Amino acid sequence: MFIVARFLSGVAQGCANGTFSTYVAETTTPKARDILGSTIQMSISAGTMLAQLASLGLTNPPLWRVLFAITGVIALAHMLLMTRCVESPKWLLSKNRPDEAQDALQRLRKSADCTDEFKALMQTVQAEMGPNAYSASIPDLLLGKTPDNLRHQLVLAILCMVFQQISGMSGVSFYSTKLFETITNPPTHYNPKPNLAQILTGILSIVGLLAAVAGMLLAGYFGRRTLMLFSHISMAVCSVLISVGSIKEYNIMAICMVFVFYAVYLVGPGPLPWAIPGELTPIYAISSLLAIAGFTGYSGVFTIGMAFSPLLDALQGYTFIIFAATNTVAAIALFFLLPETKGRYIPDMIRTHSVGLHNVMQSKYRTSELKVED
């Protein structure tokens, strides 16, 4: 039952992550998109914090059953709240339901006059979908059989998810208590009260929520590209310092760097790989592209989740040297492949980058930031 439940919850989580990111890209203005695109990570961090804090008192038998039951209660509440959610106008137009799309856009914009925006949206959908309302399948994307050359978007989406996982964050998230135990050396005898490593894990989840909120605010001032590069470079530096602190037994430094490592991840590689594809990909291909990206991401979660604990046992303090290297590689690759999407008009981004794999540092692939007022 645990395996079945974990499988079903994993499917649901994968669908929710991709769908929410696309929904934000399709329903918000360019200015609001920069901030709202990070709310998914803030929500995940809030859930992680609540789960970690609740587990401090509910992990002992038989209270762990209450911990699992809370998940079901939250899911039911989410189902009820979703009945108030407005459908994406862009999706409705792609399904040839213009009247419903116009009504949905008006509900999203409240009392604002959205006549011109709706006309522009219709033209965008018609241009992206083509006269035959084409919808790309996963094989179409993988084999390059789409009307536009989306090789760059496909490679970038996959790499962002791969880098998200090999950054080492999944291992820290899953095994934070074990990681802190290697640093703090807790007593081996059984104690029903939380030990220092468990308390630090709870504090880490609180820091994670604060970092996610900070990341959401920073997204309104700095671009996706800037935040991704900053985060991977910072994580590489933190990884080196975690290893040095663990090896040399500078415990306070190692613990502090784990906190910083977690925080900078939530600014860039945590939320942004889900948001970036929706800002570069035409509507006819976005569902399949996010499915591929989601599969890549969750395959990485499984792989790193299985590998991190044996690595930690075998390498101890040297484990994070590996993640220093992977984050450095990520920063270099994204420097040449990731364009800036902050404040850009999505149709312009799609048109500019649907030309196959390319170096975005070349001037012909740069787009101007919109000067708009919400």
Side-chain angles (χ1 to χ4, degrees):
M1 290 302 294
F2 280 122
I3 295 174
V4 173
R6 185 64 188 92
F7 174 80
L8 293 176
S9 63
V11 171
Q13 185 178 2
C15 292
N17 282 351
T19 302
F20 181 80
S21 300
T22 304
Y23 183 81
V24 169
E26 293 181 353
T27 59
T28 58
T29 61
K31 186 176 180 180
R33 188 178 73 234
D34 296 331
I35 295 178
L36 294 178
S38 298
T39 55
I40 184 171
Q41 187 61 57
M42 185 188 71
S43 301
I44 292 172
S45 298
T48 301
M49 181 193 72
L50 293 174
Q52 294 283 12
L53 295 179
S55 67
L56 291 177
L58 296 176
T59 52
N60 295 320
L63 295 178
W64 61 265
R65 294 176 176 83
V66 176
L67 194 61
F68 279 93
I70 292 174
T71 304
V73 173
I74 294 173
L76 289 174
H78 181 257
M79 290 175 61
L80 293 175
L81 290 172
M82 283 301 296
T83 61
R84 304 293 300 170
C85 184
V86 179
E87 186 56 86
S88 164
K90 193 172 184 179
W91 182 85
L92 290 169
L93 283 174
S94 72
K95 301 301 179 183
N96 197 27
R97 293 155 63 179
D99 292 338
E100 294 177 57
Q102 188 169 17
D103 179 64
L105 184 62
Q106 189 62 63
R107 290 176 63 190
L108 288 166
R109 300 293 182 263
K110 299 295 184 180
S111 58
D113 183 4
C114 56
T115 303
D116 292 340
E117 183 182 0
F118 182 70
K119 290 179 180 179
L121 185 61
M122 287 187 66
Q123 294 174 354
T124 298
V125 172
Q126 290 169 0
E128 291 182 14
M129 296 293 293
N132 299 320
Y134 169 72
S135 180
S137 64
I138 291 177
D140 287 342
L141 271 176
L142 294 175
L143 298 176
K145 295 182 178 180
T146 53
D148 301 293
N149 190 334
L150 303 179
R151 184 62 59 187
H152 190 90
Q153 288 90 329
L154 176 63
V155 171
L156 182 61
I158 291 174
L159 283 181
C160 281
M161 286 299 181
V162 170
F163 293 146
Q164 181 191 66
Q165 297 308 317
I166 65 174
S167 69
M169 191 58 241
S170 289
V172 172
S173 180
F174 293 159
Y175 298 103
S176 53
T177 300
K178 183 174 181 178
L179 175 61
F180 284 131
E181 285 177 349
T182 64
I183 299 172
T184 60
N185 298 315
T188 56
H189 62 274
Y190 174 74
N191 188 342
K193 295 181 180 180
N195 59 37
L196 178 58
Q198 293 169 328
I199 293 172
L200 287 172
T201 297
I203 296 173
L204 183 66
S205 66
I206 297 174
V207 171
L209 176 59
L210 296 176
V213 173
M216 184 178 68
L217 298 176
L218 288 172
Y221 295 95
F222 301 98
R224 309 275 193 259
R225 174 184 167 85
T226 301
L227 292 175
M228 287 289 284
L229 294 177
F230 166 77
S231 295
H232 278 297
I233 293 171
S234 299
M235 291 171 74
V237 174
C238 288
S239 296
V240 172
L241 294 177
I242 291 171
S243 289
V244 171
S246 299
I247 295 166
K248 298 295 185 180
E249 296 186 355
Y250 301 150
N251 292 347
I252 294 178
M253 183 180 81
I255 290 171
C256 289
M257 287 302 102
V258 170
F259 279 79
V260 177
F261 182 92
Y262 193 35
V264 294
Y265 167 84
L266 295 172
V267 170
L272 298 185
W274 294 102
I276 290 169
E279 299 172 346
L280 293 171
T281 311
I283 190 172
Y284 69 77
I286 188 60
S287 295
S288 295
L289 184 66
L290 282 174
I292 295 171
F295 175 78
T296 303
Y298 284 105
S299 297
V301 170
F302 174 80
T303 303
I304 298 299
M306 295 296 291
F308 187 85
S309 184
L311 273 177
L312 197 59
D313 290 336
L315 301 179
Q316 294 293 314
Y318 293 94
T319 303
F320 275 82
I321 295 296
I322 297 173
F323 300 128
T326 56
N327 279 292
T328 301
V329 171
I332 294 171
L334 293 179
F335 180 81
F336 293 106
L337 294 175
L338 177 60
E340 185 52 75
T341 61
K342 177 184 180 297
R344 268 63 173 186
Y345 188 44
I346 290 180
D348 288 345
M349 296 297 296
I350 293 171
R351 182 172 55 254
T352 300
H353 297 287
S354 297
V355 293
L357 198 62
H358 56 275
N359 176 6
V360 300
M361 295 305 295
Q362 298 179 37
S363 58
K364 63 181 178 180
Y365 297 120
R366 296 178 185 175
T367 55
S368 300
E369 186 171 355
L370 290 174
K371 303 297 183 182
V372 296
E373 296 292 337
D374 284 331

